[in-house]
Amino acid sequence: MKEYLQKLTENKPLLFEEMICASRSMFSEHISETEIGAFLTALKTKGESADEIAGLVKVIREKSVMAQHLPFSVMDNCGTGGDGSQSFNISTTSAFVIAGAGIKIAKHGNRSISSKTGSADVLEHLGVSLNVHPDKMEELLANNGIAFLFAPAVHPTLKRVMKIRHDLKIPTVFNLIGPLTNPLELDSQLLGIYRRDMLLMMAAVLDRLGRRRAIIVNGAGFMDEASLAGENHLVLLENGEMIPFTVHPEEVGLPVYDNDAIKGGTSLENAEILLKVLKGEKGAYRDTVLLNAGLAIFAHGSVETIQEGIKAAKESIDSGAAREKLEYLIRDSQVSGKKVM
């Protein structure tokens, strides 16, 4: 670790294989918390490279309790958080819409970190168990097309590092990598990030991690989701090629709303918003989900345009398919918590 720390303090980037070695050391019991804190701080001060992020993610994923290969294609949709928007659970709601459109989605998430309510908080309130055995995930994905992977349950080795991260009280690389650490081998992905300057870098990371196709998005107002407030900045990754582009909601047949129109609240309030969207209630919440789910369906490659993705998202909601995915997940995750349906 001393060698890698020295290199970072000299403002030199670590190679992919070097970062893998450094990350494995970081999760070793032989490394002190002080060394880990110094390493994360030095990496933050220098600025993370694509190889450094990908190397860390590779090690985190290999230490996961879940198998990484499935006999079918699967995707994820998730944002980094950290945008300060206090929006409702957009990607969580969108995940059921994506699944209702026939795409298998492994929703990776956690409790609240930078917002009032994380994906785990709202799903737990709805009655989804967070204690599903990893062996059950493949069955859920095969039969229902959606499963929730609770990050602390699938990444138990991160507990020590998370404590150090909390004690440092500064943003580190771990503020960026949550959406990247899904332990399953993803074929495609919609990834939201609050930093517009990192769109191309995150596309390079996803390419390094083997994504066939992905969209990385920074929304209007610098949200880590696509927003109806104005122009969204995106990068399409397809078979190694990276294509930057922009999308305004009016270009894809959706209205403009200020980001204040999609604010969320407590886990109860966000659960109620999620249910209203899946039951077909129209308005800013639904239209925001249509944009994000439509982008994910396009990112998957099952449609040719974003407009076709939005159409598929509408059909998923209006047919009841998206809500059925939620009901199945609640029932089959052996729920013990409170339901609000």
Side-chain angles (χ1 to χ4, degrees):
M1 180 62 81
K2 182 178 179 181
E3 173 190 348
Y4 303 127
L5 184 55
Q6 180 68 33
K7 195 171 180 180
L8 291 175
T9 56
E10 293 173 357
N11 207 35
K12 298 176 182 177
L14 300 184
L15 302 177
F16 181 65
E17 293 300 332
E18 289 178 321
M19 188 63 183
I20 289 175
C21 292
S23 299
R24 286 174 179 160
S25 295
M26 187 164 54
F27 294 116
S28 166
E29 294 179 359
H30 305 295
I31 301 297
S32 70
E33 292 188 1
T34 300
E35 287 176 292
I36 295 172
F39 181 80
L40 293 176
T41 302
L43 188 64
K44 166 69 176 177
T45 302
K46 179 192 70 65
E48 303 88 349
S49 71
D51 274 351
E52 288 165 345
I53 294 173
L56 173 58
V57 169
K58 177 178 171 62
V59 173
I60 292 172
R61 293 179 66 245
E62 72 183 16
K63 290 182 174 294
S64 165
V65 299
M66 288 188 65
Q68 297 186 10
H69 297 279
L70 293 176
F72 44 75
S73 170
V74 64
M75 82 173 299
D76 192 4
N77 72 318
C78 191
T80 58
D83 62 12
S85 68
Q86 301 297 320
S87 60
F88 77 107
N89 296 88
I90 298 169
S91 64
T92 307
T93 310
S94 299
F96 294 102
V97 179
I98 297 162
I103 297 168
K104 295 187 187 305
I105 183 157
K107 185 73 179 78
H108 185 241
N110 208 336
R111 295 194 183 278
S112 173
I113 296 175
S114 61
S115 60
K116 288 184 180 179
T117 306
S119 54
D121 300 309
V122 71
L123 290 176
E124 186 176 49
H125 189 88
L126 287 165
V128 175
S129 173
L130 305 183
N131 300 312
V132 177
H133 193 278
D135 293 343
K136 178 87 171 174
M137 296 299 179
E138 182 174 338
E139 180 185 330
L140 276 170
L141 285 165
N143 296 336
N144 189 41
I146 185 170
F148 181 68
L149 283 62
F150 183 42
V154 297
H155 299 298
T157 57
L158 286 180
K159 187 174 182 180
R160 183 184 183 213
V161 176
M162 291 301 100
K163 176 187 177 299
I164 297 166
R165 172 192 173 189
H166 181 266
D167 291 344
L168 283 174
K169 293 181 171 55
I170 61 170
T172 69
V173 65
F174 284 92
N175 292 77
L176 300 170
I177 63 172
L180 304 171
T181 58
N182 191 313
L184 301 180
E185 287 289 350
L186 302 178
D187 179 63
S188 56
Q189 188 165 358
L190 175 67
L191 188 157
I193 182 166
Y194 69 96
R195 286 185 55 180
R196 191 165 295 173
D197 62 314
M198 292 190 71
L199 284 169
L200 283 168
M201 178 186 288
M202 294 302 266
V205 172
L206 289 181
D207 183 46
R208 198 77 157 93
L209 295 173
R211 304 293 188 269
R212 172 189 58 84
R213 189 175 161 98
I215 285 178
I216 304 88
V217 57
N218 175 260
F222 295 92
M223 286 186 65
D224 70 328
E225 313 271 4
S227 165
L228 297 171
E231 190 172 68
N232 298 276
H233 292 249
L234 311 94
V235 173
L236 170 65
L237 169 69
E238 184 169 26
N239 298 321
E241 184 180 3
M242 301 174 205
I243 307 167
F245 67 106
T246 60
V247 172
H248 191 282
E250 291 177 336
E251 295 172 346
V252 291
L254 292 172
V256 174
Y257 290 94
D258 189 271
N259 284 335
D260 286 342
I262 56 169
K263 283 190 178 294
T266 64
S267 58
L268 170 61
E269 292 167 331
N270 284 7
E272 290 173 343
I273 292 169
L274 185 152
L275 288 174
K276 286 177 181 178
V277 171
L278 297 191
K279 289 176 181 178
E281 183 175 298
K282 298 189 182 332
Y285 296 124
R286 170 188 164 104
D287 288 337
T288 299
V289 168
L290 290 179
L291 177 57
N292 282 274
L295 281 169
I297 295 167
F298 175 64
H300 178 263
S302 52
V303 295
E304 294 294 325
T305 67
I306 296 169
Q307 288 92 330
E308 289 176 13
I310 292 171
K311 180 181 178 182
K314 288 179 180 177
E315 292 172 355
S316 174
I317 295 173
D318 295 340
S319 68
R323 187 180 173 193
E324 287 174 8
K325 297 298 182 183
L326 171 61
E327 292 170 347
Y328 187 108
L329 185 62
I330 293 170
R331 184 173 63 249
D332 244 47
S333 66
Q334 300 175 348
V335 60
S336 60
K338 178 184 175 184
K339 295 181 183 180
V340 296
M341 293 194 65

